[in-house]
Amino acid sequence: MTAMPREMPEEGGVRLVDYLAAELVRAGVTHMFGVGGANIEDLYDAVHRTGTIFGVVAKHEFSAVTMADGYARATRRLGVVAATSGGGAMNLVPGLAEAHASRVPLLALVGQPPTAQEGRGAFQDSSGKAGSFDAREVFTPVSRFCARAEDADSFAELLPQAIAAAQADPKGPAVLLLPKDLQQAQVTVPVPGVTPTPVVPPPTTTAASVESDARDAASAALRGASRVLVIAGEGVAASDAREELAELARRLGAWVAVTPDAKDVFDNRDPRFAGVAGVMGHANVEDCLRRADLCMLVGTRLPLLARGGLDQALAATPVVCIDPEPPFVAGIALGGNLRDALRAVVGRLPSRPHPCPEHTGPFPMSPPTPIPLALGGNVSYTEAVAAVEAALPQDAHVFVDAGNAGASAIHLLPAPRHGRFVVAVGMGGMGYTFGAGIGAALATGRRTYVLAGDGAFFMHGMEVHTAVEYAAPVTFVIFNNNAHAMCALREELFQGGVRSDDLFARTDIAAGVAAAFPALEVTWANDAARLRQALLRSNAGSGPAFIALDCDPREIPPFLPFLSVTESTESAEHEESSDERGPVHVG
């Protein structure tokens, strides 16, 4: 069939989608992720015609969002996702919710039916007319900016507003709803150099005074503290402030802990490194906090996952927080741009380095006695993570999914020195890593490890197909315990183990993936040595690899809510007092 010629633009104008694609190129975007459809196909056509932006087609819109998310976290550029109307649009919501909660800058371009069909029974109508729901009301709560393009003439003002909102602090998704007819409409291209940009009002005198007072109070508190614990978060990576964080620690002689989603913001092998804070973290962090005169939060609001088990110690310790948003604990809050604020604070400190007080370091939690189970596993989490550590290139990226295997990796696996170590704790959705790892790998060309359980694989693991299609350098490592093991352990520990809903019959994931993708290197690793060998082979290759290993669903990971229960039980059996922290409740 001969393709119909594209209608030529009117003099002085271009299609709206061509203008949009050109503006994405100007913004430094190199990839657009999504799933096609009739109401977004014109944008894909325009992106293809740029010859600059690479359009990546995912298997599911959730994974398309996480690809854009992984792209943004690995490059600190704007991630772009595109989807059609109806179910495709709705599938974006959980991924956008993660980006909103984790403050990741994304632009979601969502096709809509033609405007003339709105409220007239259009297929996939979400205009809010004639009884249809309004897509703006769906996307607004999970975005920093959401708007429907109402006419082509105003789009040149709407687009920069959306991009600016996504990249302003606090960062997050911006959503533009694009009716089909407007995508094809002609727009007048603004004169280069005078593209409308949002006007950011200067801070008021009152706001500037408050910020100055807070900075003075923070500097005074730091100068008066002899022992400081810094807890650094993902905002350090997002602001490219690792050097400033290291200099802060050097001048203060501080211990440095990291939140579960920020292991890569400080060298895990540095003698100042105290470990991971919170429910998947290290006891040394609490010990340092109890010895500290001051706790300084940098790039984190310290949500529950990052402060679980620390609340009592935090209540007794002065807190200073540098973050665009106020912390979840009481303290002196310094807002604004994190990197600039950190530089200002560091600049007020004496330049002479101070030694770090002694501490035990991030010593792993002692595993409790395993819960007896007839279904045994082949490789323990500790053995598997050790194999990953031995093979992991120091410039690789690591994406860790939710679940018991994820908790073990966060606790045990040192972050690569020159790569990202990403955990999506904003919403904690299973299956996030499959798309995110692919997005990061395609954006940077670096070997990327995806560490996930079988539950996450069965949700979004077929994005392996996307990795194969685009030859993405991703190594998928699937910890298969044939269960939703974290749920199964909750049932065992908190509900008496009276049901087994989350324990499943064995599935040979490696064999299934090998049959589906004959060209993909697939390994079933029945011991840690074979896992390490398979990882090393994947490092030497240029494309994707897939490794599955069997684990025990009842192996208790280093997750404080579980350990607090088992420790309390063991203490009661030995007539010892319970942990003063008491039970820790998370999710």
Side-chain angles (χ1 to χ4, degrees):
M1 180 183 292
T2 303
M4 294 291 290
R6 191 182 65 175
E7 183 178 330
M8 294 299 294
E10 298 173 2
E11 184 177 354
V14 298
R15 291 186 307 169
L16 183 148
V17 288
D18 293 315
Y19 167 71
L20 170 54
E23 287 301 295
L24 294 180
V25 171
R26 263 195 352 125
V29 174
T30 59
H31 292 70
M32 183 180 80
F33 306 92
V35 179
N39 286 329
I40 200 66
E41 62 190 1
D42 295 293
L43 177 59
Y44 276 92
D45 175 66
V47 163
H48 176 75
R49 290 172 184 273
T50 67
T52 302
I53 300 176
F54 192 72
V56 178
V57 177
K59 309 289 94 62
H60 191 281
E61 290 83 0
F62 169 80
S63 290
V65 180
T66 66
M67 288 177 194
D69 180 303
Y71 170 98
R73 296 198 204 212
T75 65
R76 293 187 299 105
R77 294 197 293 263
L78 179 70
V80 179
V81 61
T84 193
S85 50
M90 295 302 99
N91 284 340
L92 297 173
V93 172
L96 294 177
E98 169 60 41
H100 183 275
S102 292
R103 304 187 295 195
V104 179
L106 301 184
L107 177 63
L109 304 168
V110 186
Q112 296 286 278
T115 53
Q117 297 178 13
E118 293 175 352
R120 300 175 61 84
F123 179 57
Q124 299 179 330
D125 189 359
S126 57
S127 64
K129 299 177 182 178
S132 65
F133 72 90
D134 190 338
R136 286 173 295 192
E137 295 180 0
V138 175
F139 289 113
T140 294
V142 294
S143 63
R144 307 295 182 190
F145 179 94
C146 179
R148 184 189 302 271
E150 302 291 352
D151 59 79
D153 293 336
S154 64
F155 189 75
E157 296 180 3
L158 192 63
L159 178 60
Q161 290 176 14
I163 293 175
Q167 296 179 318
D169 289 322
K171 300 177 178 66
V175 179
L176 290 177
L177 305 172
L178 306 174
K180 170 84 171 180
D181 53 320
L182 290 188
Q183 294 178 47
Q184 300 171 329
Q186 304 300 304
V187 297
T188 301
V189 179
V191 177
V194 296
T195 301
T197 55
V199 177
V200 180
T204 63
T205 303
T206 301
S209 176
V210 170
E211 183 177 333
S212 177
D213 290 346
R215 194 163 293 169
D216 290 342
S219 296
L222 287 169
R223 285 195 299 268
S226 59
R227 292 186 175 186
V228 177
L229 172 66
V230 174
I231 303 179
E234 165 66 17
V236 174
S239 301
D240 192 23
R242 290 180 178 85
E243 290 184 6
E244 289 77 6
L245 173 65
E247 182 62 17
L248 175 73
R250 189 182 72 89
R251 294 194 185 192
L252 288 174
W255 302 297
V256 180
V258 294
T259 57
D261 57 339
K263 281 199 81 170
D264 60 356
V265 303
F266 192 80
D267 187 352
N268 294 184
R269 299 156 187 85
D270 190 291
R272 302 179 191 274
F273 183 61
V276 178
V279 297
M280 292 167 279
H282 302 95
N284 180 56
V285 175
E286 181 183 2
D287 180 60
C288 290
L289 180 59
R290 292 188 182 279
R291 295 166 58 197
D293 302 316
L294 180 75
C295 178
M296 189 168 192
L297 310 180
V298 180
T300 178
R301 306 177 71 189
L302 209 63
L304 185 57
L305 280 179
R307 74 174 191 273
L310 302 178
D311 279 323
Q312 286 190 7
L314 284 165
T317 309
V319 173
V320 172
C321 177
I322 302 179
D323 191 82
E325 297 181 280
F328 293 117
V329 296
I332 300 170
L334 297 179
N337 179 275
L338 186 144
R339 192 179 187 187
D340 291 344
L342 192 54
R343 285 177 171 175
V345 169
V346 170
R348 296 188 178 196
L349 297 172
S351 59
R352 181 174 60 86
H354 285 71
C356 173
E358 291 185 1
H359 62 119
T360 61
F363 195 77
M365 295 180 186
S366 298
T369 303
I371 296 174
L373 181 68
L375 299 173
N378 294 91
V379 186
S380 73
Y381 297 136
T382 301
E383 292 172 329
V385 173
V388 172
E389 180 182 358
L392 180 66
Q394 289 304 299
D395 63 347
H397 302 305
V398 179
F399 284 77
V400 178
D401 220 296
N404 288 357
S408 299
I410 291 167
H411 189 74
L412 298 170
L413 180 63
R417 283 191 170 93
H418 309 295
R420 292 302 326 266
F421 189 109
V422 176
V423 187
V425 298
M427 290 288 106
M430 292 170 64
Y432 160 89
T433 57
F434 292 93
I438 292 170
L442 291 176
T444 65
R446 296 191 195 179
R447 175 58 51 183
T448 301
Y449 281 20
V450 166
L451 309 181
D454 54 307
F457 171 79
F458 285 123
M459 288 192 179
H460 292 286
M462 282 300 99
E463 293 301 334
V464 169
H465 179 278
T466 309
V468 171
E469 284 290 301
Y470 296 101
V474 182
T475 301
F476 300 96
V477 183
I478 309 303
F479 296 71
N480 182 14
N481 48 36
N482 297 290
H484 288 165
M486 188 165 277
C487 296
L489 280 174
R490 291 185 64 86
E491 292 157 10
E492 183 75 32
L493 294 171
F494 304 132
Q495 296 181 333
V498 296
R499 57 191 178 90
S500 56
D501 308 40
D502 290 295
L503 297 173
F504 312 132
R506 185 180 185 277
T507 304
D508 191 342
I509 294 176
V513 170
F517 305 104
L520 178 64
E521 182 180 337
V522 178
T523 302
W524 175 59
N526 58 353
D527 58 41
R530 192 172 184 190
L531 170 59
R532 178 176 177 273
Q533 292 165 3
L535 291 167
L536 291 173
R537 284 198 303 272
S538 78
N539 295 346
S542 59
F546 190 95
I547 307 165
L549 57 145
D550 287 346
C551 301
D552 189 331
R554 299 274 176 84
E555 180 182 351
I556 297 178
F559 187 58
L560 193 54
F562 295 164
L563 297 179
S564 64
V565 172
T566 56
E567 288 171 1
S568 296
T569 301
E570 291 173 2
S571 295
E573 290 174 354
H574 292 86
E575 299 181 352
E576 295 175 358
S577 60
S578 62
D579 191 316
E580 65 175 345
R581 293 173 300 190
V584 178
H585 300 283
V586 180

